[in-house]
Coordinates of all heavy atoms in Angstrom, one line a residue:
M323 N 17.5 22.0 14.7 CA 16.6 20.9 15.0 C 16.5 20.1 13.8 O 16.2 20.5 12.7 CB 15.3 21.5 15.3 CG 14.4 20.6 16.0 SD 13.3 21.7 17.0 CE 11.8 21.1 16.8
K324 N 16.7 18.8 14.0 CA 16.7 17.8 12.8 C 15.2 17.5 12.5 O 14.4 17.3 13.4 CB 17.4 16.5 13.2 CG 18.9 16.6 13.1 CD 19.4 15.2 13.3 CE 20.9 15.2 13.1 NZ 21.5 13.9 13.2
S325 N 14.9 17.4 11.2 CA 13.6 17.0 10.8 C 13.6 15.5 10.8 O 14.6 14.8 10.5 CB 13.2 17.6 9.5 OG 14.1 17.2 8.5
K326 N 12.4 15.0 10.9 CA 12.2 13.5 10.9 C 12.4 13.0 9.5 O 11.9 13.7 8.5 CB 10.8 13.1 11.4 CG 10.6 13.4 12.9 CD 9.2 12.9 13.3 CE 9.0 13.2 14.8 NZ 7.6 12.8 15.2
P327 N 13.0 11.8 9.3 CA 13.1 11.3 7.9 C 11.8 10.9 7.4 O 10.9 10.4 8.2 CB 14.0 10.1 8.1 CG 13.9 9.7 9.6 CD 13.6 11.0 10.3
E328 N 11.5 11.2 6.2 CA 10.2 10.8 5.5 C 10.4 10.4 4.1 O 11.3 10.8 3.4 CB 9.3 12.0 5.5 CG 8.8 12.5 6.8 CD 7.8 13.6 6.7 OE1 7.7 14.2 5.6 OE2 7.1 13.9 7.7
T329 N 9.5 9.5 3.7 CA 9.5 9.0 2.3 C 8.0 9.0 1.9 O 7.2 8.6 2.7 CB 10.1 7.6 2.1 OG1 11.4 7.6 2.6 CG2 10.0 7.1 0.7
T330 N 7.7 9.5 0.7 CA 6.4 9.5 0.2 C 6.2 8.3 -0.6 O 7.0 7.9 -1.5 CB 6.1 10.8 -0.7 OG1 6.2 11.9 0.1 CG2 4.7 10.7 -1.2
A331 N 5.1 7.5 -0.3 CA 4.7 6.3 -1.1 C 3.5 6.7 -2.0 O 2.6 7.3 -1.5 CB 4.4 5.2 -0.1
N332 N 3.6 6.2 -3.2 CA 2.5 6.4 -4.2 C 1.8 5.1 -4.4 O 2.5 4.1 -4.7 CB 3.1 6.9 -5.5 CG 3.7 8.3 -5.3 OD1 3.1 9.2 -4.9 ND2 5.0 8.3 -5.6
V333 N 0.5 5.0 -4.2 CA -0.3 3.8 -4.3 C -1.2 4.0 -5.5 O -1.9 5.0 -5.6 CB -1.1 3.5 -3.0 CG1 -2.0 2.3 -3.2 CG2 -0.2 3.4 -1.8
S334 N -1.2 3.0 -6.4 CA -2.1 3.0 -7.5 C -2.9 1.7 -7.4 O -2.4 0.6 -7.4 CB -1.3 2.9 -8.8 OG -2.1 2.8 -9.9
V335 N -4.3 1.9 -7.3 CA -5.2 0.8 -7.1 C -5.6 0.3 -8.5 O -6.1 1.1 -9.3 CB -6.4 1.2 -6.3 CG1 -7.4 0.0 -6.2 CG2 -6.0 1.6 -4.9
K336 N -5.3 -0.9 -8.8 CA -5.5 -1.5 -10.1 C -6.9 -2.3 -10.2 O -7.5 -2.2 -11.2 CB -4.4 -2.5 -10.5 CG -3.0 -1.8 -10.6 CD -3.0 -0.7 -11.6 CE -1.6 -0.1 -11.7 NZ -1.6 1.1 -12.5
E337 N -7.2 -3.0 -9.1 CA -8.4 -3.8 -9.1 C -9.0 -3.8 -7.7 O -8.3 -3.8 -6.7 CB -8.0 -5.3 -9.4 CG -8.2 -5.8 -10.8 CD -7.9 -7.2 -10.9 OE1 -8.6 -8.1 -10.3 OE2 -6.8 -7.6 -11.5
Y338 N -10.3 -3.7 -7.7 CA -11.0 -3.8 -6.4 C -12.2 -4.7 -6.6 O -13.1 -4.4 -7.4 CB -11.5 -2.4 -6.0 CG -12.0 -2.4 -4.5 CD1 -11.2 -1.8 -3.6 CD2 -13.2 -2.9 -4.1 CE1 -11.6 -1.7 -2.2 CE2 -13.6 -2.9 -2.8 CZ -12.8 -2.3 -1.9 OH -13.2 -2.2 -0.6
C339 N -12.2 -5.9 -6.0 CA -13.3 -6.9 -6.2 C -13.9 -7.1 -4.9 O -13.4 -7.8 -4.0 CB -12.7 -8.2 -6.8 SG -14.0 -9.4 -7.1
F340 N -15.2 -6.6 -4.7 CA -15.9 -6.8 -3.5 C -16.3 -8.3 -3.3 O -16.4 -8.8 -2.2 CB -17.0 -5.9 -3.4 CG -17.5 -5.8 -2.0 CD1 -16.8 -5.0 -1.0 CD2 -18.7 -6.4 -1.6 CE1 -17.3 -5.0 0.3 CE2 -19.2 -6.3 -0.3 CZ -18.4 -5.6 0.7
I341 N -16.6 -9.0 -4.4 CA -17.0 -10.4 -4.4 C -15.9 -11.2 -3.8 O -16.1 -12.1 -2.9 CB -17.5 -10.9 -5.8 CG1 -18.7 -10.1 -6.2 CG2 -17.7 -12.4 -5.8 CD1 -19.1 -10.3 -7.6
K342 N -14.7 -11.0 -4.3 CA -13.5 -11.8 -3.8 C -13.0 -11.2 -2.5 O -12.1 -11.8 -1.8 CB -12.4 -11.8 -4.8 CG -12.6 -12.6 -6.0 CD -11.4 -12.5 -6.9 CE -11.6 -13.2 -8.2 NZ -10.4 -13.1 -9.0
K343 N -13.5 -10.0 -2.1 CA -12.9 -9.2 -1.0 C -11.4 -9.0 -1.1 O -10.7 -9.4 -0.2 CB -13.3 -9.9 0.3 CG -14.8 -9.9 0.6 CD -15.2 -10.5 1.9 CE -16.7 -10.5 2.0 NZ -17.1 -11.1 3.3
E344 N -11.0 -8.4 -2.3 CA -9.6 -8.3 -2.6 C -9.3 -7.0 -3.3 O -10.1 -6.6 -4.2 CB -9.3 -9.5 -3.5 CG -7.8 -9.7 -3.7 CD -7.6 -11.0 -4.5 OE1 -7.6 -11.0 -5.7 OE2 -7.4 -12.1 -3.8
L345 N -8.2 -6.4 -3.0 CA -7.8 -5.2 -3.7 C -6.4 -5.5 -4.2 O -5.5 -6.0 -3.5 CB -7.8 -4.1 -2.7 CG -7.4 -2.7 -3.2 CD1 -8.3 -1.7 -2.6 CD2 -6.0 -2.4 -2.8
K346 N -6.1 -5.1 -5.4 CA -4.7 -5.3 -6.0 C -4.2 -3.9 -6.5 O -5.0 -3.1 -6.9 CB -4.8 -6.2 -7.2 CG -5.1 -7.6 -6.8 CD -5.0 -8.5 -8.0 CE -5.4 -10.0 -7.6 NZ -5.2 -10.9 -8.7
G347 N -2.9 -3.7 -6.4 CA -2.3 -2.5 -6.8 C -0.8 -2.5 -6.8 O -0.2 -3.5 -6.6
V348 N -0.3 -1.3 -7.0 CA 1.2 -1.1 -7.0 C 1.5 0.0 -6.0 O 0.8 1.0 -6.0 CB 1.6 -0.7 -8.4 CG1 3.1 -0.3 -8.5 CG2 1.3 -1.8 -9.4
V349 N 2.6 -0.1 -5.3 CA 3.1 0.9 -4.4 C 4.5 1.2 -4.8 O 5.3 0.3 -5.0 CB 2.9 0.6 -2.9 CG1 3.6 -0.7 -2.5 CG2 3.3 1.7 -2.0
E350 N 4.9 2.5 -4.8 CA 6.2 2.9 -5.2 C 6.7 3.9 -4.1 O 5.9 4.8 -3.7 CB 6.3 3.6 -6.5 CG 5.9 2.7 -7.7 CD 6.0 3.5 -9.0 OE1 7.1 3.9 -9.3 OE2 4.9 3.5 -9.7
A351 N 7.9 3.7 -3.7 CA 8.5 4.6 -2.7 C 10.0 4.7 -3.0 O 10.7 3.6 -3.1 CB 8.3 4.2 -1.3
S352 N 10.6 5.9 -3.2 CA 11.9 6.1 -3.5 C 12.2 5.3 -4.8 O 11.5 5.5 -5.8 CB 12.8 5.6 -2.4 OG 14.2 6.0 -2.6
D353 N 13.2 4.4 -4.8 CA 13.5 3.6 -6.1 C 12.9 2.2 -6.0 O 13.2 1.4 -6.8 CB 15.1 3.5 -6.2 CG 15.7 4.8 -6.5 OD1 15.1 5.7 -7.1 OD2 16.9 5.0 -6.1
F354 N 12.0 2.0 -5.1 CA 11.4 0.7 -4.9 C 10.0 0.7 -5.5 O 9.3 1.7 -5.5 CB 11.3 0.3 -3.4 CG 12.6 0.1 -2.7 CD1 13.2 1.1 -2.1 CD2 13.2 -1.2 -2.7 CE1 14.4 0.9 -1.4 CE2 14.4 -1.4 -2.1 CZ 15.0 -0.4 -1.5
K355 N 9.6 -0.5 -6.0 CA 8.3 -0.7 -6.6 C 7.8 -2.1 -6.2 O 8.5 -3.1 -6.5 CB 8.3 -0.5 -8.1 CG 7.0 -0.6 -8.8 CD 7.1 -0.3 -10.2 CE 5.7 -0.3 -10.9 NZ 5.9 0.1 -12.3
W356 N 6.6 -2.2 -5.7 CA 6.0 -3.5 -5.3 C 4.6 -3.6 -5.8 O 3.9 -2.6 -6.0 CB 5.9 -3.6 -3.8 CG 7.2 -3.4 -3.0 CD1 8.1 -4.4 -2.7 CD2 7.7 -2.2 -2.4 NE1 9.1 -3.9 -2.0 CE2 8.9 -2.6 -1.8 CE3 7.3 -0.9 -2.4 CZ2 9.7 -1.6 -1.1 CZ3 8.1 0.0 -1.8 CH2 9.3 -0.3 -1.1
Q357 N 4.2 -4.8 -6.1 CA 2.8 -5.2 -6.4 C 2.3 -5.7 -5.1 O 3.0 -6.5 -4.4 CB 2.7 -6.2 -7.5 CG 3.2 -5.6 -8.8 CD 3.1 -6.6 -9.9 OE1 2.9 -7.8 -9.7 NE2 3.2 -6.1 -11.2
F358 N 1.0 -5.4 -4.8 CA 0.4 -6.0 -3.6 C -1.0 -6.5 -3.9 O -1.7 -6.0 -4.8 CB 0.4 -4.9 -2.5 CG -0.5 -3.8 -2.7 CD1 -1.8 -3.8 -2.3 CD2 -0.1 -2.6 -3.3 CE1 -2.7 -2.7 -2.5 CE2 -0.9 -1.5 -3.6 CZ -2.2 -1.6 -3.1
T359 N -1.4 -7.4 -3.0 CA -2.8 -7.9 -3.0 C -3.2 -7.9 -1.6 O -2.5 -8.5 -0.7 CB -2.8 -9.4 -3.6 OG1 -2.3 -9.4 -4.9 CG2 -4.3 -9.9 -3.6
W360 N -4.3 -7.2 -1.3 CA -4.8 -7.2 0.0 C -6.1 -7.9 0.0 O -7.1 -7.5 -0.6 CB -5.0 -5.7 0.4 CG -5.6 -5.5 1.8 CD1 -5.3 -6.3 2.9 CD2 -6.5 -4.5 2.3 NE1 -6.0 -5.8 4.0 CE2 -6.7 -4.7 3.6 CE3 -7.2 -3.5 1.6 CZ2 -7.6 -3.9 4.4 CZ3 -8.0 -2.7 2.4 CH2 -8.2 -2.9 3.7
S361 N -6.1 -9.1 0.7 CA -7.4 -9.8 0.9 C -8.0 -9.4 2.2 O -7.8 -9.9 3.3 CB -7.0 -11.3 1.0 OG -6.4 -11.8 -0.2
F362 N -8.8 -8.3 2.0 CA -9.4 -7.7 3.2 C -10.4 -8.6 3.9 O -10.6 -8.4 5.1 CB -9.9 -6.3 2.9 CG -10.9 -6.2 1.8 CD1 -12.3 -6.4 2.0 CD2 -10.5 -5.9 0.5 CE1 -13.2 -6.3 1.0 CE2 -11.4 -5.8 -0.5 CZ -12.7 -6.0 -0.3
G363 N -11.0 -9.5 3.2 CA -11.9 -10.5 3.9 C -11.1 -11.4 4.8 O -11.7 -11.9 5.8
K364 N -9.9 -11.7 4.5 CA -9.0 -12.6 5.3 C -8.0 -11.8 6.2 O -7.4 -12.4 7.0 CB -8.3 -13.6 4.4 CG -9.2 -14.5 3.6 CD -8.3 -15.3 2.7 CE -9.2 -16.1 1.8 NZ -8.5 -16.9 0.8
G365 N -7.9 -10.5 5.9 CA -6.9 -9.7 6.7 C -5.5 -10.0 6.3 O -4.6 -9.9 7.1
I366 N -5.2 -10.4 5.0 CA -3.9 -10.8 4.6 C -3.4 -9.8 3.5 O -4.1 -9.5 2.5 CB -3.9 -12.2 4.0 CG1 -4.3 -13.2 5.0 CG2 -2.5 -12.6 3.4 CD1 -4.5 -14.6 4.5
L367 N -2.2 -9.3 3.7 CA -1.5 -8.4 2.7 C -0.3 -9.2 2.1 O 0.5 -9.6 2.9 CB -1.1 -7.1 3.3 CG -0.3 -6.2 2.5 CD1 -1.1 -5.7 1.3 CD2 0.2 -5.0 3.3
M368 N -0.3 -9.3 0.8 CA 0.9 -10.0 0.2 C 1.6 -8.9 -0.7 O 0.9 -8.2 -1.5 CB 0.4 -11.1 -0.7 CG -0.2 -12.3 0.1 SD -0.7 -13.7 -0.9 CE -2.0 -13.0 -1.9
V369 N 2.9 -8.8 -0.5 CA 3.7 -7.8 -1.2 C 4.8 -8.5 -2.0 O 5.5 -9.3 -1.4 CB 4.3 -6.7 -0.2 CG1 5.1 -5.7 -1.0 CG2 3.2 -6.1 0.6
K370 N 4.9 -8.2 -3.3 CA 6.0 -8.8 -4.1 C 6.7 -7.7 -4.9 O 6.0 -6.7 -5.3 CB 5.4 -9.8 -5.1 CG 4.8 -11.0 -4.4 CD 4.2 -11.9 -5.4 CE 3.5 -13.1 -4.7 NZ 2.9 -14.0 -5.6
P371 N 7.9 -7.8 -5.2 CA 8.9 -8.8 -4.8 C 9.3 -8.7 -3.3 O 9.0 -7.6 -2.7 CB 10.1 -8.6 -5.7 CG 10.0 -7.1 -6.0 CD 8.6 -6.7 -6.0
P372 N 10.0 -9.7 -2.8 CA 10.4 -9.6 -1.4 C 11.5 -8.6 -1.1 O 11.6 -8.2 0.0 CB 10.8 -11.1 -1.1 CG 11.1 -11.7 -2.4 CD 10.3 -11.0 -3.4
L373 N 12.2 -8.2 -2.1 CA 13.3 -7.2 -1.9 C 12.7 -5.9 -1.4 O 11.9 -5.2 -2.0 CB 14.0 -6.9 -3.2 CG 15.2 -5.9 -3.1 CD1 16.3 -6.5 -2.2 CD2 15.8 -5.6 -4.5
G374 N 13.1 -5.5 -0.2 CA 12.6 -4.3 0.5 C 11.2 -4.3 1.0 O 10.7 -3.3 1.5
R375 N 10.6 -5.5 1.0 CA 9.2 -5.6 1.5 C 9.0 -5.2 2.9 O 8.0 -4.5 3.2 CB 8.7 -7.1 1.3 CG 7.3 -7.3 1.8 CD 6.8 -8.7 1.6 NE 7.8 -9.7 1.9 CZ 7.9 -10.9 1.3 NH1 7.1 -11.2 0.3 NH2 8.8 -11.8 1.7
A376 N 10.0 -5.5 3.7 CA 9.9 -5.1 5.1 C 9.8 -3.5 5.3 O 9.3 -3.0 6.3 CB 11.1 -5.6 5.9
L377 N 10.3 -2.8 4.3 CA 10.3 -1.3 4.4 C 8.9 -0.8 4.2 O 8.6 0.3 4.8 CB 11.2 -0.7 3.3 CG 12.7 -1.0 3.3 CD1 13.3 -0.6 2.0 CD2 13.3 -0.4 4.5
I378 N 8.0 -1.5 3.5 CA 6.7 -0.9 3.1 C 5.5 -1.6 3.7 O 4.5 -1.1 3.9 CB 6.6 -0.9 1.6 CG1 5.5 0.0 1.1 CG2 6.4 -2.3 1.0 CD1 5.8 1.4 1.3
E379 N 5.7 -2.9 4.1 CA 4.5 -3.8 4.4 C 3.7 -3.2 5.5 O 2.5 -3.1 5.4 CB 5.0 -5.2 4.8 CG 4.0 -6.2 4.6 CD 4.6 -7.6 4.6 OE1 5.6 -7.8 5.4 OE2 4.1 -8.5 3.9
D380 N 4.2 -2.8 6.7 CA 3.5 -2.3 7.8 C 2.8 -1.0 7.5 O 1.6 -0.8 7.8 CB 4.3 -2.2 9.1 CG 4.7 -3.6 9.6 OD1 4.0 -4.6 9.4 OD2 5.7 -3.6 10.4
S381 N 3.5 -0.1 6.9 CA 3.0 1.2 6.5 C 1.9 1.1 5.5 O 0.9 1.8 5.6 CB 4.1 2.1 6.0 OG 5.1 2.3 7.0
L382 N 2.0 0.2 4.5 CA 1.0 0.0 3.5 C -0.3 -0.5 4.1 O -1.4 -0.1 3.9 CB 1.5 -0.9 2.4 CG 0.5 -1.2 1.3 CD1 0.0 0.0 0.6 CD2 1.2 -2.2 0.3
L383 N -0.1 -1.5 5.0 CA -1.3 -2.1 5.7 C -2.0 -1.1 6.5 O -3.3 -1.0 6.4 CB -0.9 -3.3 6.5 CG -2.1 -4.0 7.2 CD1 -3.1 -4.5 6.2 CD2 -1.5 -5.2 8.0
R384 N -1.3 -0.2 7.2 CA -2.0 0.8 8.0 C -2.7 1.8 7.1 O -3.8 2.2 7.4 CB -0.9 1.6 8.9 CG -0.5 0.8 10.1 CD 0.2 1.7 11.1 NE 1.4 2.4 10.6 CZ 2.6 1.8 10.5 NH1 2.8 0.6 11.0 NH2 3.6 2.5 10.0
F385 N -2.1 2.1 6.0 CA -2.8 3.0 5.0 C -4.0 2.4 4.5 O -5.1 3.0 4.4 CB -1.8 3.4 3.9 CG -2.5 4.0 2.7 CD1 -2.8 5.4 2.8 CD2 -2.8 3.3 1.6 CE1 -3.4 6.0 1.7 CE2 -3.4 3.9 0.5 CZ -3.7 5.3 0.6
L386 N -3.9 1.1 4.1 CA -5.1 0.4 3.5 C -6.2 0.3 4.5 O -7.4 0.5 4.2 CB -4.7 -1.0 3.0 CG -3.8 -1.0 1.8 CD1 -3.2 -2.4 1.6 CD2 -4.4 -0.4 0.6
L387 N -5.9 0.0 5.7 CA -6.9 -0.1 6.8 C -7.6 1.3 7.1 O -8.8 1.4 7.2 CB -6.4 -0.7 8.1 CG -6.0 -2.1 8.0 CD1 -5.1 -2.5 9.2 CD2 -7.2 -3.0 7.9
K388 N -6.8 2.3 7.1 CA -7.3 3.7 7.4 C -8.2 4.2 6.2 O -9.2 4.8 6.5 CB -6.1 4.6 7.6 CG -6.5 6.0 7.9 CD -5.3 6.9 8.1 CE -5.7 8.3 8.4 NZ -4.5 9.1 8.6
K389 N -7.8 3.9 5.0 CA -8.5 4.4 3.8 C -9.5 3.4 3.2 O -10.0 3.7 2.1 CB -7.5 4.9 2.7 CG -6.6 6.0 3.2 CD -7.4 7.3 3.4 CE -6.5 8.4 3.8 NZ -7.2 9.7 4.0
D390 N -9.7 2.3 3.8 CA -10.5 1.2 3.3 C -11.6 1.6 2.4 O -11.7 1.2 1.2 CB -10.9 0.3 4.5 CG -11.6 -0.9 4.0 OD1 -11.5 -1.3 2.9 OD2 -12.2 -1.6 4.9
Y391 N -12.6 2.3 2.9 CA -13.8 2.6 2.1 C -13.6 3.7 1.1 O -14.6 4.0 0.4 CB -14.9 2.9 3.1 CG -15.3 1.7 3.9 CD1 -14.9 1.6 5.2 CD2 -16.0 0.6 3.3 CE1 -15.2 0.4 6.0 CE2 -16.3 -0.5 4.1 CZ -15.9 -0.6 5.4 OH -16.2 -1.7 6.1
E392 N -12.5 4.4 1.1 CA -12.3 5.5 0.2 C -11.5 5.0 -1.1 O -11.5 5.8 -2.1 CB -11.4 6.6 0.8 CG -12.1 7.2 2.0 CD -11.1 8.2 2.8 OE1 -10.3 8.8 2.1 OE2 -11.2 8.3 4.0
L393 N -11.0 3.8 -1.1 CA -10.2 3.3 -2.2 C -11.0 2.9 -3.4 O -12.0 2.2 -3.2 CB -9.2 2.2 -1.7 CG -8.3 2.6 -0.6 CD1 -7.6 1.3 -0.1 CD2 -7.3 3.6 -1.0
E394 N -10.6 3.3 -4.6 CA -11.3 2.9 -5.8 C -10.3 2.5 -6.9 O -9.3 3.1 -7.0 CB -12.2 4.0 -6.3 CG -13.3 4.4 -5.4 CD -14.2 5.5 -6.0 OE1 -14.1 5.7 -7.2 OE2 -14.9 6.1 -5.2
A395 N -10.7 1.5 -7.7 CA -9.8 1.1 -8.8 C -9.6 2.2 -9.8 O -10.5 3.0 -10.0 CB -10.4 -0.1 -9.5
G396 N -8.4 2.4 -10.2 CA -8.1 3.4 -11.2 C -7.6 4.7 -10.6 O -7.1 5.6 -11.2
N397 N -7.7 4.8 -9.3 CA -7.2 6.0 -8.6 C -5.8 5.8 -8.0 O -5.4 4.7 -7.8 CB -8.2 6.4 -7.4 CG -9.5 6.9 -8.0 OD1 -9.6 7.2 -9.2 ND2 -10.5 7.1 -7.1
E398 N -5.2 7.0 -7.7 CA -3.9 7.0 -7.1 C -3.9 7.7 -5.8 O -4.7 8.7 -5.6 CB -2.9 7.6 -8.1 CG -2.7 6.8 -9.3 CD -1.6 7.2 -10.2 OE1 -0.7 7.9 -9.7 OE2 -1.5 6.7 -11.3
Y399 N -3.1 7.3 -4.8 CA -3.1 7.8 -3.5 C -1.7 8.0 -3.0 O -0.7 7.4 -3.6 CB -3.8 6.9 -2.5 CG -5.2 6.6 -3.0 CD1 -5.5 5.5 -3.8 CD2 -6.3 7.4 -2.6 CE1 -6.8 5.2 -4.3 CE2 -7.6 7.1 -3.0 CZ -7.8 6.0 -3.9 OH -9.1 5.8 -4.3
K400 N -1.5 8.8 -2.0 CA -0.1 9.0 -1.4 C -0.2 8.9 0.1 O -1.3 9.2 0.7 CB 0.4 10.4 -1.7 CG 0.7 10.6 -3.2 CD 1.2 12.0 -3.4 CE 1.4 12.4 -4.8 NZ 2.6 12.0 -5.4
F401 N 0.8 8.4 0.7 CA 0.9 8.5 2.2 C 2.4 8.6 2.5 O 3.3 8.4 1.7 CB 0.3 7.2 2.8 CG 1.0 5.9 2.6 CD1 1.9 5.4 3.5 CD2 0.6 5.2 1.5 CE1 2.5 4.2 3.2 CE2 1.2 3.9 1.2 CZ 2.2 3.4 2.1
T402 N 2.7 9.1 3.7 CA 4.0 9.3 4.2 C 4.5 8.3 5.1 O 3.8 7.9 6.0 CB 4.1 10.7 4.8 OG1 3.6 11.7 3.9 CG2 5.5 11.1 5.2
I403 N 5.7 7.8 4.9 CA 6.4 6.8 5.8 C 7.4 7.6 6.6 O 8.2 8.4 6.1 CB 7.0 5.7 5.0 CG1 6.0 5.1 4.1 CG2 7.7 4.7 5.9 CD1 6.6 4.2 3.0
S404 N 7.5 7.3 7.9 CA 8.4 8.0 8.8 C 9.8 7.3 8.7 O 10.3 6.8 9.7 CB 7.9 8.0 10.2 OG 6.7 8.7 10.3
A405 N 10.4 7.2 7.5 CA 11.7 6.6 7.3 C 12.2 7.1 6.0 O 11.4 7.5 5.1 CB 11.6 5.1 7.4
K406 N 13.5 7.1 5.8 CA 14.1 7.5 4.5 C 14.7 6.3 3.9 O 15.5 5.5 4.5 CB 15.2 8.5 4.8 CG 15.7 9.2 3.6 CD 14.7 10.3 3.3 CE 15.3 11.3 2.3 NZ 14.3 12.2 1.7
F407 N 14.2 6.0 2.7 CA 14.8 4.9 1.9 C 14.8 5.1 0.4 O 14.4 6.2 0.0 CB 14.2 3.5 2.2 CG 12.7 3.4 2.2 CD1 12.1 3.0 1.0 CD2 12.0 3.6 3.3 CE1 10.7 2.9 0.9 CE2 10.6 3.5 3.2 CZ 10.0 3.1 2.0

């Protein structure tokens, strides 16, 4: 029986500003590393650089929405993506 492909993503929250309604951080998965800004007041997630962004964007947004009130600046988090990259 084949196991499902998985990749662990590591999220580091760098800034959380409730006044701006914005969270900034870094996400790493496999050999990729992205910086992100989540404007939760506007519902917009920006991920840079664009290389490989499609691999992480949807999974990262789902994670951020799910863990919204648990996230704090200076903390690190992990989530699993159902894909290998």
Side-chain angles (χ1 to χ4, degrees):
M323 199 154 134
K324 283 188 175 180
S325 62
K326 293 181 182 179
E328 290 184 346
T329 301
T330 299
N332 299 299
V333 177
S334 179
V335 177
K336 302 297 183 187
E337 264 182 67
Y338 194 105
C339 181
F340 197 74
I341 294 168
K342 291 182 183 179
K343 295 183 180 178
E344 193 173 85
L345 182 137
K346 292 183 180 186
V348 175
V349 61
E350 297 180 60
S352 189
D353 294 332
F354 293 92
K355 183 176 183 177
W356 302 270
Q357 294 180 345
F358 67 90
T359 301
W360 181 37
S361 298
F362 53 88
K364 298 176 184 174
I366 298 171
L367 175 63
M368 294 182 296
V369 180
K370 294 179 183 178
L373 179 64
R375 178 175 48 210
L377 297 171
I378 197 71
E379 203 165 36
D380 288 340
S381 297
L382 177 59
L383 182 57
R384 281 194 305 275
F385 169 78
L386 293 171
L387 289 168
K388 182 178 178 182
K389 298 292 184 180
D390 186 13
Y391 294 103
E392 298 174 32
L393 302 172
E394 294 183 18
N397 288 349
E398 297 192 13
Y399 305 88
K400 293 179 187 273
F401 66 95
T402 303
I403 301 165
S404 298
K406 194 80 163 165
F407 52 91

